[in-house]
DNA sequence: CTATGTGAACAGCTTCACAGCG
DNA sequence: CGCTGTGAAGCTGTTCACATAG
């Protein structure tokens, strides 16, 4: 996988949305879809859809549109989700436990295979089924990453612990971190970070509401 | 609040991050901060910080920087989070319950005051403390929105129920929806939507990893 | 001398509009 | 015809660089 350069970051973000919508269409037994229909479902223009997909190759069929199963395959390939991926999680608090039992990850090819927490009282316990996993101490993280070949980790610890844990993860060889802690993580350029700050999302809504409703 | 026009959407998103970082600085008893220092903490350039803040007014002091407590006040005012806001939540599944007990919302001025679910076996039960709330049926939603004057709701229901519930929320007068369901919601222009698709976030990381690690 | 606010230059993303293919 | 793929145009957001204030 050599390119990714000169492809707009927003286009890459939308690629996931295309995939999600295509899977819905596929579930409805739709065989082909035009850029216009796909765009409408996501609130985008047809030109946007065509341009985004064209960054990655020529997937469409003039006069027909895009064949749904074919495009799904291709997009999965591009995103690197054509194979199941093992993921670890640090932080077995409320949010962490909810993420462990979240079925959406499995549906999209992600498998949380190891859970870590620094709280002695939690270490050794099993998380509730489904996805029952034994909680390990942080000391084991490095060994588990190596033995399972894990590349991506979810960080669901309190803000003041987040950077420290991130350092441990990176040191163990993790290359992508999904960060739920409300802090900006500082990592090297070889590591990707995606952050979800739940309160920030609400704040954005509060702003929109205060603008929309004077 | 009349403007918001011609202000870049990314600038508005960053405003929340500025506030978060400023609160951290404030906790560390820092009195003033320059655009360079604030930017470094968030991985942004000093020019970006100055331009973003300048969209909303003149908050800085040449030669000094920005006074932390003053800027916090101003940014909160802009975001509409200077007053506590009541929020409702629909969907008392794993994710929903985790959100109810998430302390980050309260810290940033949001209060989940009502919880709804369509599952008869859940209705009437109390959610675990803290933030113990009685779960109500969806039929009560409209009345609760009106009596509490709620403007923002969190949607944490399965994908296939999401659009229907969103319609109910909008019908009841909700003006902002934080959507955790993996679907694109279609609502009128008078309603703001922020979406968090957890699997999509992981997918983005998978892509970055596959690019960064050939 | 430090640090803001801002017009102007630049870069990046989106939309347009049409040639070309099935 | 219907619909893609794509240069070119248009627009939005970011960076630069400097006048200005303390």
């Amino acid at each position: 996988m050599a390119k990714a350069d000169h492809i707009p970051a927003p286009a890459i973000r939308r690629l996931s949305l295309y995939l999600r919508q295509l899977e819905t269409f596929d579930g409805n037994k739709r065989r082909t879809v035009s850029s216009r229909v796909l765009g409408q479902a996501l609130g985008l223009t047809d030109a946007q859809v065509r341009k985004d997909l064209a960054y990655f190759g020529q997937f469409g069929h003039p006069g027909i549109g895009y064949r749904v199963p074919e495009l799904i395959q291709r997009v999965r390939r591009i995103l690197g989700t054509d194979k199941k991926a093992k993921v670890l999680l640090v932080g077995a608090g409320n949010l962490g436990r909810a993420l462990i039992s979240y079925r959406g990850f499995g549906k999209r090819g992600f498998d949380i295979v190891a859970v870590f927490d620094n709280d002695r009282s939690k270490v050794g316990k099993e998380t509730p089924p489904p996805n029952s996993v034994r909680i390990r101490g942080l000391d084991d993280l490095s060994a588990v990453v190596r033995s399972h070949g894990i590349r991506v980790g979810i960080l669901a610890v309190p803000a003041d612990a987040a950077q420290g844990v991130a350092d441990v993860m990176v040191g163990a060889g993790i290359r992508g971190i999904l960060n739920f802690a409300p802090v900006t993580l500082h990592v090297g350029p070889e590591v990707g970070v995606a952050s979800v700050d739940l309160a920030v999302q609400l704040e954005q809504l509060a702003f929109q509401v205060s603008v929309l409703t004077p």
Side-chain angles (χ1 to χ4, degrees), chain A:
Chain A
M1 300 256 134
K3 30 187 174 181
D5 214 23
H6 52 88
I7 296 176
I12 296 169
R13 278 198 297 275
R14 284 189 296 265
L15 207 52
S16 282
L17 302 183
Y18 297 142
L19 177 56
R20 194 178 73 183
Q21 189 62 50
L22 287 165
E23 284 172 342
T24 301
F25 284 146
D26 192 50
N28 298 341
K29 304 273 182 268
R30 190 185 245 276
R31 313 293 286 277
T32 70
V33 68
S34 66
S35 55
R36 193 170 53 80
V37 169
L38 182 51
Q40 273 175 350
L42 295 166
L44 303 170
T45 66
D46 56 334
Q48 179 88 80
V49 173
R50 289 199 301 277
K51 178 124 321 205
D52 283 348
L53 295 175
Y55 283 124
F56 300 96
Q58 306 208 153
F59 306 139
H61 305 273
I64 304 289
Y66 300 87
R67 296 199 216 283
V68 173
E70 177 195 339
L71 188 52
I72 288 176
Q73 292 290 95
R74 307 268 207 140
V75 174
R76 279 200 189 131
R77 192 76 177 285
I78 294 162
L79 288 172
T81 54
D82 49 335
K83 304 167 178 57
K84 279 229 164 243
K86 294 178 183 177
V87 175
L88 68 78
L89 182 145
V90 186
N94 277 310
L95 183 58
R97 289 197 306 273
L99 294 173
I100 294 165
S101 51
Y102 181 58
R103 287 171 174 80
F105 290 140
K107 284 184 189 149
R108 297 299 280 276
F110 296 100
D111 215 0
I112 298 178
V113 297
V115 176
F116 302 86
D117 200 299
N118 241 353
D119 184 340
R120 285 272 187 272
S121 66
K122 287 176 185 162
V123 175
K125 298 213 166 121
E126 296 271 330
T127 63
N131 300 350
S132 186
V133 185
R134 195 177 59 84
I135 300 175
R136 298 167 150 100
L138 266 187
D139 322 318
D140 298 0
L141 194 142
S142 212
V144 173
V145 167
R146 273 182 258 274
S147 69
H148 281 76
I150 299 174
R151 289 237 186 68
V152 173
I154 303 173
L155 186 50
V157 303
D160 50 16
Q163 183 63 56
V165 174
D167 293 343
V168 171
M169 290 166 76
V170 172
I174 288 293
R175 291 311 187 95
I177 300 177
L178 176 50
N179 171 41
F180 287 91
V183 294
T184 299
L185 296 182
H186 298 268
V187 298
E190 78 281 11
V191 182
V193 175
S195 277
V196 177
D197 184 326
L198 301 171
V200 161
Q201 297 299 321
L202 267 191
E203 226 162 52
Q204 293 293 308
L205 281 176
F207 177 78
Q208 287 187 56
V209 169
S210 78
V211 170
L212 264 42
T213 315

